[in-house]
Amino acid sequence: MTSTFTKRYVSARQAAEAARHHHWLTAHARPMLQPALTATAPTSLTFAWIEGRHAEPHDLPRLAGLLGHAHGAAWTSDLHRASLTRPHVFPDGALFPDYAACREVALRKRLEQGHLPDTSVLDMLLALLEATAEGPVAFYKDSNPRNFLITTDGTIFTVDTDDLTLAPFGYDLAKLITALIMTHGPIEPPGIEQALDLYNEAASRHDARLAATDLQRLHAFLTLHVHLTAPYTGRNGYHFGVPGFGGST
């Protein structure tokens, strides 16, 4: 059996960023287990091999608790000093992208690509983005089902550290919910509410102020994710829309 997995990158910059993200998560988001980074090269990273399956809808309660715990740990360790509207700084001096700027660029691109019907929808999404750029700072790691590996004994590993930005609490949970729906079909409202409750409870173990994501705020994040993820519909296993948040059934 293969004991390692090597991921190759187009550029040395991308490989260095992914390695930096892995090291930061290891240091500051300890509840989030990752495969060990065993070797680096200019345009590739080699990780310990993990045998496991990808996340499925029935895993949502456990994953929600894990995300809340990891986000709370990262806030306590480092991100309590960060702001959602300004880049944070990694220990080596590189910038940790802020929440709003890169997503504003992406939303404007969605209009250019034809994924938004008109500028009024863009304006609505930009207003949501601005309204949610407040509160305690967590991180976004693209929590789609393929970025989790669950072993036969139930241990959860997270993989793929290519993307890491600042984000509000609850934002990456909303990405996980969006991606599970797009992959497997609808999740009933009680399941979403349970996931949010478990996320908030786990985050609150680190500080009571971190349990501030309510359903209205989660729905705003879901709306943003549906439109940001629109170009990937029909790819990467995304076969379903997200009804009620700008997606189709």
Side-chain angles (χ1 to χ4, degrees), residues 218-236:
L218 183 71
H219 286 183
F221 294 148
L222 289 168
T223 300
L224 288 167
H225 280 302
V226 165
H227 292 287
L228 287 167
T229 312
Y232 305 101
T233 302
R235 299 163 48 195
N236 301 328

Side-chain angles (χ1 to χ4, degrees), residues 96-158:
F96 196 146
D98 69 282
Y99 168 61
C102 59
R103 291 174 176 85
E104 179 178 348
V105 171
L107 288 170
R108 293 187 183 281
K109 186 173 183 180
R110 297 297 177 267
L111 180 65
E112 295 171 5
Q113 294 168 326
H115 296 295
L116 303 182
D118 52 47
T119 56
S120 67
V121 176
L122 174 63
D123 290 343
M124 178 273 290
L125 294 171
L126 293 177
L128 273 184
L129 188 65
E130 181 179 3
T132 53
E134 60 181 13
V137 181
F139 62 87
Y140 169 77
K141 194 201 152 292
D142 187 14
S143 287
N144 70 66
R146 299 178 307 282
N147 286 344
F148 293 96
L149 290 175
I150 303 175
T151 66
T152 54
D153 68 0
T155 302
I156 300 172
F157 287 86
T158 65

